[in-house]
Amino acid sequence: MHIAVAGNIGSGKTTLTRMLSKRYGWIPRYEPADNNPYLADFYADMPRWSFNLQIYFLNKRFKEVVEISKSSDTIIQDRTIFEDAKIFAPNLHEMGMMSDRDFENYTDLFDLMISLVKLPDLMIYIRSTIPNLVAQIQKRGREFEKSIRIDYLQGLNNRYDEWISNYKGPLMIIDGDTCKFGNNPHDFQQITDKIDAQLYGLFPLEGSNP
């Protein structure tokens, strides 16, 4: 199976991916942030590096999806190819940080790739407000994230809401503001109970919210 964890920057995707991987014995695939050769440059100068960064992510994510489709293991993925193309790239384009030419080129490439990709068996979306995201970003203290703009995060949040409202696959929604799964065992148990019902129970829980 292919399980995916989606959410804005600072929403807790990596923490939840790690916890679920340990709980179920799933193989984790983490977002390539620490070793990303473009990320620091991007946050320092978004218009200059936006296309380079998005192509880098698109390439990495497509390779992951192909590998996942060929695997007999259950794999849990920290962020998906759909978020890159439906949220991050359009947000940069709308903010004037990616040119029309680059955005059209990127979109054409994504459309070709996505024709070969199927939806995950379960998409877990962590929905968070901007104050919660900012607090989480500050808490983890990554130097290159200190220059992230509030309007950039808000634009991403708006696009996440739009994308999730139209998402057609199996979906579970977590309230990242109130469900503190990282340090509250009860909250994490609520999530795993719903995952058990979604994947192994009798009834699907479309858009469930612990």
Side-chain angles (χ1 to χ4, degrees), residues 24-171:
Y24 290 99
W26 295 337
I27 297 174
R29 292 293 183 91
Y30 296 108
E31 185 177 22
D34 292 337
N35 297 321
N36 189 313
Y38 293 105
L39 208 52
D41 289 330
F42 167 73
Y43 284 131
D45 188 351
M46 288 185 177
R48 166 63 183 86
W49 295 102
S50 62
F51 181 72
N52 306 69
L53 178 72
Q54 291 307 131
I55 289 294
Y56 174 85
F57 276 129
L58 190 63
N59 175 44
K60 292 290 184 181
R61 221 82 72 181
F62 185 66
K63 285 182 178 179
E64 280 189 351
V65 170
V66 171
E67 291 171 2
I68 290 170
S69 68
K70 294 179 179 179
S71 175
S72 59
D73 297 314
T74 296
I75 295 174
I76 182 167
Q77 185 184 27
D78 173 5
R79 186 162 283 150
T80 68
I81 193 172
F82 306 101
E83 292 165 83
D84 289 321
K86 298 298 184 181
I87 294 161
F88 284 84
N91 187 55
L92 288 166
H93 178 243
E94 184 178 279
M95 293 179 70
M97 295 181 182
M98 183 183 291
S99 69
D100 292 343
R101 179 182 60 181
D102 284 347
F103 183 65
E104 290 170 7
N105 189 10
Y106 175 90
T107 302
D108 285 345
L109 181 58
F110 169 76
D111 289 342
L112 174 62
M113 290 178 170
I114 210 64
S115 67
L116 306 172
V117 172
K118 67 174 186 177
L119 294 175
D121 297 288
L122 175 62
M123 179 73 73
I124 302 171
Y125 171 54
I126 307 173
R127 175 181 283 139
S128 297
T129 60
I130 296 301
N132 187 58
L133 294 175
V134 170
Q136 290 295 104
I137 291 169
Q138 291 176 340
K139 182 179 178 180
R140 66 189 183 192
R142 292 175 179 170
E143 186 66 30
F144 58 79
E145 290 182 338
K146 290 181 179 179
S147 60
I148 294 178
R149 291 165 41 173
I150 297 297
D151 61 338
Y152 176 67
L153 285 176
Q154 185 61 63
L156 294 176
N157 249 15
N158 294 342
R159 289 193 173 274
Y160 265 110
D161 287 342
E162 180 182 359
W163 173 60
I164 286 297
S165 68
N166 294 297
Y167 187 77
K168 302 302 182 184
L171 173 66

